Amino acid sequence: MNLNIRELVQHVEYEPESYYAAFSAELEICASPMWALLQHLEDESSKDFTKNVIEIFSQQLHRWFISTNTGVFIKPQPSHLSFHYPLHRYLSVFIHSAIVKQGMSFRELNLSQEFLQLLMIHPLQLLVGFHEIYAGLWVRNGLQIRGQAMTYLQCHFCNSTIDADFYLLQVISSQLDADHFIQTVLERFHVLDCLTFQSNSELFRGRSFLARDQEMPMLEAMLSFLCMLLSIRTYSGEMTQDVTRQEMVALLCMSDRTHSQLIDSFPEKCGLSGQAKDFEQVLKTVSDYREPVYEHGGTLQQGKYVPTADTWVNLYDPLHVLLRSLHRRDFQASIDRYTEHVKQHKLFKGSSNVWPPFRIPGPLHPAFIGLTKLLHCRTMHGLIFVLLYKAVSDPNIPDAIIFYTVYLLELALTLPNPDGNKREIYISTKHKDKEFCNWFSSSNIFLNLMTVIPQMTVSYYRRKELDMRVDVLGPSSSSSASGVFWTVVPASQNQSSDGSNASPDPMALQIFDNPLFAISGASQMDVVPAAGAEENQVAPKYRHQGISANLDQEQVVEQVVVDQSILSLLLKLHSKLLGKSGAYLPFQNIGGNDVWPLADSRVGDGEYFIRKILDTICLKNEDCRCYISAMTSSQSETGKASSESNAEENRRKAKEKQDRVMKNFLSKQRVVMETMFGSDIDSPSAEEADAVKQSVFHCCICGQPTASLDSRPVGLTALIQSSSVLGHRRHCSDPLLLHLSDPLPHINNSANEFRKRLVALKNDFEEGSWMMALNSGWQGGVHVQTCGHYLHLDCHRSYISSLKNVNQQQSQILQVQLGEFLCPVCRQLSNTVLPIPPTSTVGASTVPEQLLVQHVAELLMAVRNQPVESPLTNAMRSVMQDLTNATYPQYRLFALGSSIPNLLMFIGSLLRANLEMELVLRSNNQTMAAAANLVQKKSCIFPLFHVLSMHYKIGMAYPSTDLWSHITGVNMEQQSTSLSLYLKEVPLMLKDACTMLIQLVLSLPPEFSKSVYSCIVQALYNVQLVQAVIIVSCKFSADEHEAWRLKGHRAGCSQMEALMTFVIESLSRCAIYADLEPPVPAICQSVWSPLSVEETVLDHLLPFLRLSAQLRQHLFEEELPPVSSAPVQGNRAEFELLVTFLGLAQKGSSAESKDSGLICTSCLRWFTDNHELLVQGWCQHLVQALGQQPSSLRLLLTVNPTWYPPQLLQLPKSYDQIFQFYRKKQCIQCRSQPKSPALCLVCGQLICYKEECCQKNSIMESVQHSIDCGGGAGIFLIVNSSIIIIIRGPRAAIWGSVYLDKHGEEDRDLKRGKPLHLNEDRFRLLHQLWITHSFDHICKQWILHNNQL
C-alpha cells in the first residue's frame, strides 16, 4: 500500500498537497484499533486470545507473502519502498504483549524459521529505505517522500511505526542465525562495496548501487542501525518509568523545552500504563527548571526545562536521541550541547573531539537473549576488522564510522555470548574479500581479537578494451609499496560446467581505465606475477601487448597483504588518534599492580574509549594481555627512535613559522600606520597623536579612517522617533494601579501640567513673549539615539540608493523612501545621519573673569544668521527636516500658523527633550542597571546640539543680548538695571531657567569655552534661586510672612533669611500674598523653619542644576560624577556634586555652608555691584505683570519641581482579574462592548482593537491612541489573548506576554486555559524598553499596520 518507486532519471512532476494528511490518517486509522485491542490483553487470563490473534495475523501474512510473490531467496526491489505495513506492526506489538506482559514463551507462538525470514524482509527494507531517504538517494521523489520519513518518526506515530518495526527485527534476529542476519543487513544497505580490500577502489571497484558521495552516509546508517538494534530496549526489556525517563532525556538533550513542548513532543500511544502520573515525577528528576529570562538584546525566553548535570553524564543516550530526531541537526545539536557541558564542567580537558557517550544497554528479557548472538558471530567480527582496517589506513573515514565500530566492539566485550564459545572449525587459509563469515575460526571474541589475517584475496570482473600497441615495462611503484599481487584470468576460461560463460552480474562490471600509465588510449593488460612473488612478495612486472577486439569479461584476482589482527589495528588506531606511536601501556604495568586505571565514565575522546577497550581486554583475557604487551613494547622502541629523529626537525619548522608570522604582522602594522598618519610616521608628538585620535573616524561602509571635513563630513547613524515618555512623569514615585472599577481616575502628569502652564501664559502675554518663556521638552517631543557607528555622508547616500533595489519583502520592513536603513555594522534601525562638526567646543578662555559678562554679550551679538553653504550645512538642514517630519503636531505647533517664536520654541524643545530623557535614565539607577543588558546606546547630544544651534541662529530675529542684560543686570552700553524694555514681556520670575539656558547656549557661536558656559549657568542660577525663594514665600501664612520679614533685619542673619526678607518686602505691595489659603487650626499648621526653607529651595534648584550639568558633560566631554560617590546620600549630596562640577561652589564656603546646613546661597555670585536693586527690579516686573488679579498666574508660582521617572500602570497579579473586568466593559467612545478589547498600559484606557466603530479619518482607535497618548508609541494588552502589541509609528509587532503560567509559559489566545500570573521580570523589561525607546531594536517581526489596528 502506498508504494513509492524511486525516481532515477528526472524529478517527480507533481506533488499533491493533500498527500501528507492522507498518509497521516492511514497511520492513525491502523494504529488506533491496535492499541484499543491491547488494552484488553494485558494479563495472563487473556493469553489464549492473544495467541489466537497472533495466529490469525500469521495466516494473513502468509497469504500476503504468497500474493506479493515474496520468498526467502527472492530479493526485494531496492527501488520500491512503502511505510504502510500494518499487519507486521500488529504482530509485533501483540508478540510484545504475549511475551512481556502475559509471560508466554516464544515457542508457544509457533513461528517457524522460514516465516521469520519472510517476516524480516519488509521491515528491514523499510528501514533501509528510510536511511536512503536521509542519505539523499530519493531526492528526485520530491518533498513528499521526506515527509513520509519524518511522519514515520513523529512522536504521534513512532510507537506504532518505527518502534514496532525495530522490535519485530529484534525478535527475528534473536531467533535466526546471526551470521545470516548480519550478512543480509550488509547486502540490503548496499555497503559491501564500501568494505572491500581493493587497492584502489576508485579504479577497480564494481559498478556500485551507491554513488561515491552516498557510500559513507549509508555505511554510517548501517552501523547506527546495528547499534540501535542491539541497545534500544523500548519494548525488549525496560520498565515503564525507564522508558519515560529515556524519552524525556532524549527530548531535553536536543534542546531546552517548555512544559507544553514536552507534553506535545512526548510519544503517544506507547501502550505503557502509568505514563501520565510518571511524567511530572520523572521531569523533576532529569531536569532543572529555568525561570523565564530575556537574552542579551531583549529577546524573551519562556520558562524552560534543561537537563541536569547528572542527566548529561549518566542518562544521555545518543542512539535514542538519533532514533527520535526528525532532523539530523537535532542529533548534532545534542552532541554539541553535551560537548559544551562536559567542557564547561571540566569533565573533559582535551583539545580533540568528544565522542558520543554510547551507553551499555540494560538487561534483556530472557525471551530475547539471543539478540546478543549478533555480537558474537564471525560476520560481526569480520565487519569490525575491516572497519578498523579502513579507519587506520584511510584518512577520509568519518569519525562517526569509527565510534560506531568501537561501540560495537565494546558491546561484544561486555555482553556475554548466550551460546558460549563455539568449537573451532576449519577455515581456508585464503581469506576472500567480503566473505566475513570465513575469516575467523570461531565466534570466540578473544580468540578472534588475536587472529592475524595475512592477506586478502580480492576478485572482481572487468571488461576487455580495445587498445593500441604499447609496451610498458617496469613495476609500478604504488603497487609494490602496497603489497598487491595481480592475476588475470581470461573470461573464456571462466566457464560453467556446461560450457557456457558464467557472466557476472552486470551491476558488478566497470570499464577499466588505468591512470597509473601516462599513455593515450586504452589497452588490454595481462598481469603476470613474477617468479616467487607469492612467497617473497616481490612486485610483479606488467606488460601491455597486442591489439584485441575481444570485449568479453575477465576476472581480476588481487592479493592484498594485510598482516593485521583486531588488536594490532586497535593499537594503531589508538596511536593515530593520540598522535604518537607506542603510547598505550597495559594497565598491569602501571605501578606493578593489576588495578583498573580508568573510572567507569562515558566522557572522553576516541583515544579514551579505545584505551578503555584495550584495558577491558587485558583484564578479561590473559592471552590477549600478553599479546598486547609484546606489541606495545616493539611499537614503543620504534616510536622512540622516530620521535628523537624528528624532534629537531619539528623545532626548526616551528621557529620558521614563528618568524614568518612576526614578519607578516610587522608589515601589516606598517601599512596601518601609513594609512592613518601618512608616509611620514617618524615619532609624532604626543599632542599630534592625541589630536589625530580625537578627530579620526572610521567609516563603517568604506572603512577609511578620516576626519570630518566641511567638504566631506562624517556622520553618526541615528534613529529619530517621536516620544511622549516624559509627559507621563508624576509627582509620586509609586506606580499607578490598573483601574478595575468605574470610573477611570484622572492622572495628573507632567503633560497635563505643561498644558495648564501654557494656557495661563497664553491668556495674559503676547505670543512672541510666552513662547520664549518655556518649551515643551519636558512634556514630550522627539528622541534621538545612536548605535555609535560613523560613516561618510556620501557613502550613506550610496548605501540608501542600493537599498532601494531590494526585494519587496524587505522594503516592506524598511521604508527606504523615508530614509530608513539598517546600520551596516550592528543592523540597528536608523533613519538619519548626524553630521559631526569639524571643530569642537574645547579650550580655555583667556578673558578675565570680570569681563566675562561683556564677552558673552559680544558673542551673542557676533552670531551670523546665515551659515556658509557647504556639504556639512546641507547635511544639517537635512537632519533638521528629518526632526521636523518625525514630530507630531502637538509637540511642534503651539499656536495657529507658523512663526519665528514657534520655530525657536520647537528647536529648544528638541534639545530639552533629549536632555530630560537622559536625566530620567540617569536618575533611575535600577532601570539603567537592567537596561545595560539591552542594546547599549551612545549619546548623540553633541552633533544634535550643533544641528539645532545652526537652525536656532537662522531663525533668530534679534540677538539674545536683551535677555542676557536682564539676567545679569549689566547694560551693554552703560552699567544700569533699566527695566523699560521688559514691561510687556513675561516676567523673568515666571520664565523657566532651563529654557533660558538652552536659548542662550544655542545662540552662541559653535566655539565657546567652559568659562563662557559657567558664566551663563552662574547668572541663571541666581535667577533660579530668587524664583525658588519667591515660590516658597507664596506658601507662607500671614504670620510667617511677618516673622520672616523681621528675621532679615536682625544682626547676624543668614544670607537666605536676608534674601527672603527682601523678596517679601518687594512683593508685599502686590495682591500675590492675599487670600493664600483658608485658615486652618493651629494644631494642623506646619512651621517653616530655616532648614525646611533651605530644603524646599534646594528642590527647586536641582532640576536646573541637573540639566546644566548634563549639557556641560556632552559639550565639553567631561565625566559627570555619579551621585553614589557622594559621602551623604540625598538631595544635599547631589547638590554639592552638581555645583562643584559646574564650578558654582565658592572656595572656602562649602564647609561653612555644610556646618550651618544652608548651602544654596553660598553659590550666589552677582555680576553687578548693587544686586539688591537687580532683584528688586525682577520683583517689580512680576508685581506689574500680576496686577490686581493674580489668581490666573498663581499657578505658575505654586509648582512642584519634583518629577519622578515615568512608569507603566501596575498590573494585578492574576490575569483573571483583568479578563473578567475588561471583557464586558464598554468602550468610552462607542459605548459598546469591543469584540477584541485592548488595554493601554500607559494610561489604562480601553480601546476597540481592529474595529471600525471608533475610527477617525480612516485611522483606527489603537493607532490614534498611540499618537495621542504615547507620541507614536503604544503598548496595548489584548484582553482576549494576553499578548502585548507594540505600535511604533507606522509599524506594529507582537512583543509577548507579561502573564505566564506556573511553568513560565505564555498562553497566547488563552487556548490552553492555564491560570496566568504576572511575571515581574518581564514587566520590568517591558518598562525598560518603553522608557529607553528600544522597541525598534528589540522587536524583530514588524509589520506595517496601515492605520488598521
Side-chain angles (χ1 to χ4, degrees), residues 1200-1239:
N1200 185 351
T1202 304
W1203 294 103
Y1204 290 93
Q1207 300 183 66
L1208 297 177
L1209 295 177
Q1210 183 62 46
L1211 301 178
K1213 299 297 183 181
S1214 175
Y1215 187 74
D1216 185 66
Q1217 294 179 259
I1218 297 178
F1219 182 75
Q1220 295 298 338
F1221 178 75
Y1222 283 100
R1223 71 185 181 93
K1224 296 181 180 180
K1225 185 176 175 59
Q1226 292 183 350
C1227 173
I1228 60 175
Q1229 300 290 339
C1230 61
R1231 299 298 179 182
S1232 62
Q1233 292 184 5
K1235 295 180 181 179
S1236 179
L1239 192 62

Side-chain angles (χ1 to χ4, degrees), residues 739-811:
H739 194 61
L740 296 176
S741 61
D742 294 318
L744 190 68
H746 175 72
I747 301 177
N748 186 23
N749 52 32
S750 60
N752 296 331
E753 189 80 21
F754 169 77
R755 283 189 284 269
K756 293 178 183 179
R757 294 176 62 88
L758 191 67
V759 171
L761 291 174
K762 186 183 296 186
N763 293 336
D764 292 280
F765 299 100
E766 297 179 357
E767 177 180 310
S769 177
W770 66 261
M771 282 189 175
M772 305 302 293
L774 78 167
N775 54 46
S776 64
W778 55 297
Q779 176 208 13
V782 170
H783 181 256
V784 185
Q785 56 183 325
T786 178
C787 59
H789 295 115
Y790 299 91
L791 45 77
H792 292 108
L793 296 187
D794 53 353
C795 294
H796 169 251
R797 287 191 294 270
S798 302
Y799 180 47
I800 291 295
S801 300
S802 65
L803 291 179
K804 294 180 180 179
N805 299 324
V806 298
N807 55 39
Q808 185 177 2
Q809 181 179 1
Q810 187 172 357
S811 62

Side-chain angles (χ1 to χ4, degrees), residues 556-574:
V556 178
V557 179
E558 183 179 321
Q559 298 293 333
V560 179
V561 176
V562 179
D563 197 20
Q564 298 290 338
S565 65
I566 295 179
L567 283 179
S568 65
L569 292 173
L570 279 175
L571 291 172
K572 288 186 176 182
L573 184 58
H574 178 268

